[in-house]
Amino acid sequence: MGKMTLEELRNLRDSAKKEINRRDSEGKDIHIIIGMGTCGIASGAKETFTSFLKELESNNIANAVVKQTGCMGLCYVEPTVEIKVPGMPDTIYGKVDTEVAAQIVKDHIVNKKLVNNHIQDKPAADIIK
Amino acid sequence: MHKSISDMILDIVQNSIEANASDVFLSFVEDDYRAVIEIVVEDNGKGMSGATLKKVVDPFYTDGIKHKNRKVGLGLPFVKQTTELVGGSFDIASEEGVGTKVSFSLAKENIDTPPIGDIALTLLSCFNYPGDFNLRVNRTYISQNGDKSEYAVSKEELIEALGSLEDIESLGLLKQFLVSQEKSIK
């Protein structure tokens, strides 16, 4: 592929939007919030980010939103990711490398099963306002 | 220490966003002719006083707001330490109420210079980062012969083309877009 232009990008987006409208949608979005503070960056959270993109796309999940946040105060178990799926408890996972990200998409998001051995607690006390 | 130069860039761009900048400018020049990497991150955020400016390169200094009980702020110290290790340069200028400019360079061939890392992914992260800011990126590659190729992209244009920069579909397309820009210059 040659260098993509903004026009091409816009067109791809418009045709993707039409596809989504045809699919069934519960209307509620899945939220994936990735800790991207210095601790997150240093431990590979960018790679975790791209792993989520890849896995969500290959599982045909369109109603998802990926956001970044700063450090959640769990620097010792970075990368950390908060997953909000309608019908499941909001969960913060720790040590989410690219493989664990794939596992989270498969288990938590698709099969609605918690990935027990990676669950962290809520953010550290000095972060909670 | 960050594993790649791209990681450092993400960290410094975040500083600009956290300084409430409405405009952030990132310039990334990779010069194989002079064997140097030059980066500038400039913002119109709240800026720093002279006293604060002296403290920001101290790894044990942080503004006390982001993490109330913490005593480390590592983003800028990581960059400064790395440039010193590899015979590069580091400069930070700031004016309260105006903005901040961080410029640094690294010798490409030095054995301690970190790898550049995944630029497309780093830019993807920068554009996805929450906040009401425009990010303008100028990316340049100069070959060993001195041939220059470059691209420029801005968050405003991308939002105009894609709508949101947070939903899966947009992010997938944006990643493809950024990868194709990177491929076009190298």
Side-chain angles (χ1 to χ4, degrees), chain A residues 126 128-129, chain B residues 64-71:
Chain A
D126 66 337
I128 296 173
K129 292 191 181 12
Chain B
I65 301 167
K66 198 156 98 174
H67 296 309
K68 261 199 306 269
N69 298 321
R70 302 232 170 152
K71 304 272 189 280

Side-chain angles (χ1 to χ4, degrees), chain A residues 1-7 9-14 16-17 19-20 23 29 32 36-39 41-44 46-50 52-53 56-57 61-75 124-129, chain B residues 1-4 6-8 10-11 14 18 66-70 74-75 78 118 121-122 124-130 150-153 157-158 160-177 180-181 183-185:
Chain A
M1 148 169 63
K3 179 165 148 175
M4 206 194 282
T5 63
L6 282 167
E7 186 60 40
L9 187 61
R10 201 175 296 120
N11 292 338
L12 281 166
R13 184 66 183 114
D14 288 341
K17 271 203 182 116
E19 275 294 318
I20 295 172
R23 280 183 229 164
D29 279 343
I32 291 145
M36 199 74 80
T38 304
C39 47
I41 299 169
S43 58
K46 281 210 274 43
E47 285 69 35
T48 303
F49 179 26
T50 200
F52 271 107
L53 291 187
L56 288 164
E57 276 180 328
I61 294 167
N63 59 327
V65 163
V66 182
K67 294 180 172 179
Q68 290 169 62
T69 182
C71 169
M72 290 193 244
L74 299 168
C75 313
D126 66 337
I127 298 292
I128 296 173
K129 292 191 181 12
Chain B
M1 184 74 92
H2 287 312
K3 274 185 279 214
S4 70
S6 294
D7 288 338
M8 292 175 191
L10 181 53
D11 214 334
Q14 280 183 12
E18 286 160 15
K66 198 156 98 174
H67 296 309
K68 261 199 306 269
N69 298 321
R70 302 232 170 152
L74 297 169
F78 275 169
D118 189 335
L121 180 53
T122 298
L124 182 68
S125 304
C126 291
F127 288 124
N128 167 260
Y129 203 80
E150 54 193 355
Y151 68 85
V153 65
E157 294 172 325
L158 294 170
E160 202 269 320
L162 290 168
S164 134
L165 297 183
E166 286 181 347
D167 66 83
I168 281 299
E169 299 276 350
S170 295
L171 287 169
L173 290 171
L174 180 51
K175 181 145 194 263
Q176 281 179 52
F177 178 77
S180 91
Q181 305 303 305
K183 282 208 174 105
S184 77
I185 64 169

Side-chain angles (χ1 to χ4, degrees), chain A residues 76-80 93-97 100 118 120:
Chain A
Y76 57 96
V77 283
E78 287 288 345
T80 52
Y93 286 108
K95 296 197 179 164
V96 184
D97 60 17
V100 176
H118 279 272
Q120 288 301 131

Side-chain angles (χ1 to χ4, degrees), chain B residues 4-173:
Chain B
S4 70
I5 297 172
S6 294
D7 288 338
M8 292 175 191
I9 290 174
L10 181 53
D11 214 334
I12 306 300
V13 168
Q14 280 183 12
N15 284 353
S16 293
I17 299 168
E18 286 160 15
N20 298 323
S22 61
D23 185 89
V24 183
F25 172 67
L26 165 65
S27 162
F28 188 152
V29 176
E30 195 185 332
D31 190 336
D32 273 344
Y33 184 67
R34 290 182 299 140
V36 78
I37 294 162
E38 288 167 336
I39 291 155
V40 175
V41 180
E42 192 169 1
D43 69 65
N44 65 349
K46 62 185 182 192
M48 294 175 271
S49 67
T52 307
L53 195 54
K54 288 207 184 83
K55 289 191 254 176
V56 285
V57 288
D58 175 2
F60 297 105
Y61 172 76
T62 186
D63 63 6
I65 301 167
K66 198 156 98 174
H67 296 309
K68 261 199 306 269
N69 298 321
R70 302 232 170 152
K71 304 272 189 280
V72 288
L74 297 169
L76 285 166
F78 275 169
V79 174
K80 181 164 187 278
Q81 183 183 36
T82 307
T83 60
E84 282 166 0
L85 256 174
V86 305
S89 67
F90 174 82
D91 184 64
I92 177 166
S94 186
E95 198 184 322
E96 252 178 326
V98 178
T100 301
K101 181 172 175 180
V102 178
S103 349
F104 62 100
S105 72
L106 304 118
K108 249 201 153 205
E109 303 305 313
N110 191 299
I111 198 163
D112 289 318
T113 298
I116 285 176
D118 189 335
I119 297 175
L121 180 53
T122 298
L123 293 179
L124 182 68
S125 304
C126 291
F127 288 124
N128 167 260
Y129 203 80
D132 209 4
F133 61 95
N134 183 32
L135 170 65
R136 296 173 291 124
V137 177
N138 272 19
R139 166 80 168 115
T140 307
Y141 175 67
I142 300 169
S143 73
Q144 277 182 334
N145 308 330
D147 297 322
K148 183 162 127 172
S149 39
E150 54 193 355
Y151 68 85
V153 65
S154 82
K155 188 178 169 190
E156 273 175 351
E157 294 172 325
L158 294 170
I159 290 181
E160 202 269 320
L162 290 168
S164 134
L165 297 183
E166 286 181 347
D167 66 83
I168 281 299
E169 299 276 350
S170 295
L171 287 169
L173 290 171

Side-chain angles (χ1 to χ4, degrees), chain A residues 104-120:
Chain A
I104 290 173
V105 173
K106 198 172 75 124
D107 292 350
H108 188 127
I109 296 177
V110 176
N111 294 318
K112 309 280 195 276
K113 245 174 46 177
L114 292 173
V115 182
N116 290 316
N117 56 338
H118 279 272
I119 294 178
Q120 288 301 131

